[in-house]
Amino acid sequence: MKFTLSLLTLTFISGSILLPIEGINKQAIASEGTPPATPSTELPVTLPLEEAAIVTPEETIETLATRVVLNLKERKVYVYQDDQVIANYPVAIGKPGWETPRGEFSVIQMVEDPQWKNPWNGRVSAAGPNSPLGERWIGFWREGGKYIGFHGTPGEHVMGQAVSHGCVRMRNQDVKALYELVQTGIPVIVQ
């Protein structure tokens, strides 16, 4: 389920992200680099009352993924509905020293049009296809205030490489397609 939030600070393994919380802003601001010294705010645990009452149409339920599997060796993400692969996409993963974590996780965040804040000079890139985070963010890993997820990139030539600070980079068209297939709570297996 996707919903609009106002600003919430989250820290990636290599930086921080501001996510919208409760209707103040529809965008997010994220940065890669050294985490800030101040602790981050935790994600909301429960949905707003009006969101909890939304029923997904039956035809949408049939097309949603039941799990996502990231194969690090192949550098590909597979989207499953039950035991059938319904989509797969090439990805770029974490570079040596910043490896994408292995394990069983679930989608914990979904943000449309995230903005990137450069941790070295503080400049914020405009949201959109040329943002370093591309057009979608799908967070699946959290340790303390650090987050890792799938996101778009304008550098689509890096697919198949180990170049990120732990996140999974995807072509913008692919991360937008993945965003439409998943929802919070969907299992994400990184192997």
Side-chain angles (χ1 to χ4, degrees):
M1 187 176 310
K2 301 165 193 148
F3 54 94
T4 304
L5 306 166
S6 65
L7 288 182
L8 169 67
T9 302
L10 304 174
T11 302
F12 289 97
I13 191 119
S14 59
S16 63
I17 185 171
L18 294 177
L19 293 178
I21 306 179
E22 205 53 42
I24 291 177
N25 188 334
K26 289 186 178 180
Q27 296 181 340
I29 300 175
S31 67
E32 286 191 32
T34 307
T38 57
S40 66
T41 307
E42 289 297 318
L43 291 172
V45 180
T46 58
L47 297 175
L49 182 58
E50 63 274 11
E51 292 297 327
I54 294 175
V55 177
T56 305
E58 195 169 312
E59 63 273 7
T60 302
I61 292 171
E62 293 177 351
T63 62
L64 287 179
T66 54
R67 76 181 180 282
V68 174
V69 177
L70 172 59
N71 186 312
L72 295 172
K73 191 173 194 176
E74 292 180 12
R75 298 190 178 146
K76 232 174 187 182
V77 62
Y78 295 89
V79 183
Y80 286 84
Q81 184 181 49
D82 300 319
D83 292 329
Q84 182 177 354
V85 174
I86 59 173
N88 68 77
Y89 309 101
V91 299
I93 60 171
K95 61 187 172 183
W98 296 89
E99 289 84 1
T100 304
R102 294 174 185 263
E104 294 184 17
F105 312 100
S106 63
V107 173
I108 56 174
Q109 308 165 312
M110 296 181 69
V111 179
E112 292 186 25
D113 297 315
Q115 291 180 312
W116 185 71
K117 181 177 181 182
N118 186 314
W120 297 280
N121 63 22
R123 291 188 190 132
V124 177
S125 297
N130 294 322
S131 166
L133 293 182
E135 297 181 84
R136 300 290 184 272
W137 164 260
I138 304 168
F140 66 84
W141 181 90
R142 172 175 72 180
E143 185 174 285
K146 300 172 185 173
Y147 289 79
I148 289 180
F150 300 97
H151 66 79
T153 182
E156 295 183 349
H157 63 282
V158 301
M159 294 308 108
Q161 299 177 42
V163 295
S164 77
H165 290 111
C167 283
V168 182
R169 295 182 189 177
M170 299 179 70
R171 295 182 299 204
N172 280 315
Q173 66 188 30
D174 293 346
V175 77
K176 287 168 69 175
L178 178 62
Y179 191 91
E180 294 304 316
L181 293 172
V182 301
Q183 59 186 7
T184 55
I186 294 287
V188 175
I189 300 156
V190 182
Q191 54 192 27

